[in-house]
Amino acid sequence: MEYGEKMKVYIRPWLTVGDSESCSERIEAGCVHIYRSDMPDYDCQLHSHVQDYRLDYADGHELPVTRLRQLSRTLMGYLDDIGQIHIHCHTGETRSPTIALFALSLIEDRHPFDLLPDIYIPLWRQQERFANFCVSPLRDITRWYESR
């Protein structure tokens, strides 16, 4: 797979992750668009899905518990209302897998560390890419899970 081609990876029947190109057509899912306000050219241009949530988040930055709580309400609403969640960032390798890990932990009530292979393996098998989990957000997601 070459960079710049559409990337959409099925993590669960109800959860997909991808890059900005995966958002180039209407998706019958609640869509979490992860963008960087300091890099507006990297944002996808389509925000007309069944439901859209825009998350301004840069690679490796902290994910405060208040932000995770808001995101959890959004994700649960998508699952309840639509039954499908699509999460994407620019390349689909760092931010979208990180937020997908949070979604899996939230919805399946499993420790994030136990779910890492559930992200790594589909990304590799379907796109020959690795998820790049940064320490700070992984720590924040783990703390969120362990403090519930």
Side-chain angles (χ1 to χ4, degrees), residues 35-49:
Y35 71 101
R36 290 182 55 169
S37 58
D38 62 333
M39 300 179 82
D41 292 343
Y42 279 29
D43 191 13
C44 73
Q45 301 304 312
L46 184 64
H47 303 289
S48 61
H49 304 289

Side-chain angles (χ1 to χ4, degrees), residues 3-4 12 19 32 36 39 57-58 64 68 75 82 84 99 107 115 120 139 142 147:
Y3 285 93
R12 294 285 190 271
D19 60 5
V32 178
R36 290 182 55 169
M39 300 179 82
Y57 176 65
L68 292 174
L75 294 169
I82 307 161
Q84 295 288 316
I99 300 303
I107 293 164
L115 292 164
Y120 278 116
R139 182 184 308 121
T142 301
S147 69

Side-chain angles (χ1 to χ4, degrees), residues 101-112 115 144-145:
L101 181 70
F102 172 70
L104 283 178
S105 183
L106 169 73
I107 293 164
E108 296 184 358
D109 192 26
R110 293 176 55 202
H111 197 284
L115 292 164
W144 163 84
Y145 180 83

Side-chain angles (χ1 to χ4, degrees), residues 88-106:
H88 84 83
C89 60
H90 184 64
T91 65
E93 295 177 349
T94 303
R95 293 171 293 162
S96 58
T98 299
I99 300 303
L101 181 70
F102 172 70
L104 283 178
S105 183
L106 169 73

Side-chain angles (χ1 to χ4, degrees), residues 5-67:
E5 293 180 25
K6 188 185 297 187
M7 181 190 124
K8 185 174 178 183
V9 174
Y10 290 83
I11 304 298
R12 294 285 190 271
W14 53 268
L15 177 63
T16 56
V17 298
D19 60 5
S20 56
E21 292 297 315
S22 70
C23 194
S24 62
E25 57 194 40
R26 184 174 166 82
I27 299 170
E28 293 300 317
C31 190
V32 178
H33 306 271
I34 306 169
Y35 71 101
R36 290 182 55 169
S37 58
D38 62 333
M39 300 179 82
D41 292 343
Y42 279 29
D43 191 13
C44 73
Q45 301 304 312
L46 184 64
H47 303 289
S48 61
H49 304 289
V50 175
Q51 291 182 20
D52 292 299
Y53 180 79
R54 292 182 44 117
L55 177 63
D56 185 358
Y57 176 65
D59 297 5
H61 286 217
E62 292 181 354
L63 284 168
V65 71
T66 54
R67 189 174 237 189

